[in-house]
Amino acid sequence: MNASSRLTTLTRVGFATRGALYIAIAFLVVRTGRAEDPSGALRYLGEGGGRVLLAVMAAGLLAYGIWRAADAIFDIERHGSDGKGIAERLGAAASGVVHLLLTWQAIRLFQGVASSGQATEEGTQTALSLPGGSAIVIVGALLLFAVGVFQLVRAVKGTFLRHLEPRIARQTWAQWCGRGGYAARGLIFMISSYFLLKAGMQDQASEAGGMAQAISWLSSPVDVIVAAGLFGFGIFSLIEARYRILHDVPVDDAVKKATS
């Protein structure tokens, strides 16, 4: 098995890890009323599963992050060069960065170092400390809102199904897991963009909030409905781990070019 094939295999582990994180988020909301984001879900699973599970999740998240970043650079998912394709590649780049940061957190947890759990607020504070920081945060909020809208559009159109093996994409249960999941994520991203917009306009990092704050902001039973959607996204991620059509990242070619 060459390097490209090994990365593809580990990327499937990454999809499964993403699924486990979202299922954990939904479980915590429904069973305990506790709102978490993927970072908090990673801490929760790491505490319950131990170092072996953390090591597996870290490897999967690393491969997934690299695969997303490679998609942004090499267009391995065939997005195209039009406006929509460029937007999808930018989204892949952002997803790659997020999952590489989750990888780092998993490694830190493996080493016994707990994170603060305030990544969104800390990141916003860093942005606000820069020249024109408020404007940067406001632009970030608008971009996050656009991502939320894009997620809702995907839920309605079902475009995410084109990446699955056709026999699975035709299954109604798989379709609705994906639709519910993308709709829930879209709503969460739009609420988070509202928090980020407030932080930028008021120049207060404490106003910023991610997925956990967005879920907490929702009242019952809407939070449970959204949690059900996130559970669906987790299941859909597990489906992708097995049945998504993955194009190999040209790792071997890149290494040859770098060493020639």
Side-chain angles (χ1 to χ4, degrees), residues 106-127:
I107 293 172
R108 298 283 283 173
L109 289 171
F110 185 85
Q111 296 172 333
V113 180
S115 64
S116 65
Q118 301 293 328
T120 302
E121 185 175 329
E122 292 171 358
T124 303
Q125 183 60 58
T126 300

Side-chain angles (χ1 to χ4, degrees), residues 45 58 111-112 118 123 143 166 171 200 208 210-211 260:
L45 292 176
Q111 296 172 333
Q118 301 293 328
L143 290 174
Q171 300 295 321
M211 180 179 290
S260 61

Side-chain angles (χ1 to χ4, degrees), residues 23-182:
I23 290 172
I25 291 170
F27 171 81
L28 290 171
V29 171
V30 174
R31 293 298 298 272
T32 70
R34 173 178 162 187
E36 291 287 1
D37 55 13
S39 178
L42 182 63
R43 290 195 303 273
Y44 173 76
L45 292 176
E47 292 169 0
R51 291 166 63 85
V52 174
L53 179 60
L54 274 173
V56 172
M57 291 194 297
L61 290 169
L62 176 61
Y64 184 85
I66 292 173
W67 182 76
R68 283 295 192 194
D71 183 27
I73 297 170
F74 300 111
D75 193 20
I76 59 177
E77 291 288 278
R78 309 337 191 233
H79 300 296
S81 57
D82 58 0
K84 179 182 176 182
I86 292 173
E88 289 179 340
R89 291 172 71 176
L90 289 174
S95 178
V97 171
V98 169
H99 286 87
L100 289 175
L101 290 175
L102 280 173
T103 302
W104 174 242
Q105 182 183 347
I107 293 172
R108 298 283 283 173
L109 289 171
F110 185 85
Q111 296 172 333
V113 180
S115 64
S116 65
Q118 301 293 328
T120 302
E121 185 175 329
E122 292 171 358
T124 303
Q125 183 60 58
T126 300
L128 288 173
S129 65
L130 298 173
S134 295
I136 294 173
V137 173
I138 290 173
V139 170
L142 295 176
L143 290 174
L144 184 58
F145 182 83
V147 171
V149 172
F150 180 70
Q151 297 281 303
L152 291 177
V153 171
R154 295 191 77 181
V156 173
K157 292 186 175 181
T159 52
F160 52 87
L161 295 169
R162 65 187 172 93
H163 297 297
L164 294 181
E165 294 180 11
R167 64 188 180 88
I168 300 300
R170 290 192 292 266
Q171 300 295 321
T172 302
W173 60 272
Q175 295 173 9
W176 283 106
C177 281
R179 290 184 190 277
Y182 278 102

Side-chain angles (χ1 to χ4, degrees), residues 195-220:
F195 293 149
L196 195 59
L197 182 63
K198 284 180 62 178
M201 295 183 70
Q202 298 178 17
D203 200 26
Q204 292 289 332
S206 59
E207 294 292 337
M211 180 179 290
Q213 290 75 18
I215 295 173
S216 297
W217 183 78
L218 296 170
S219 58
S220 181

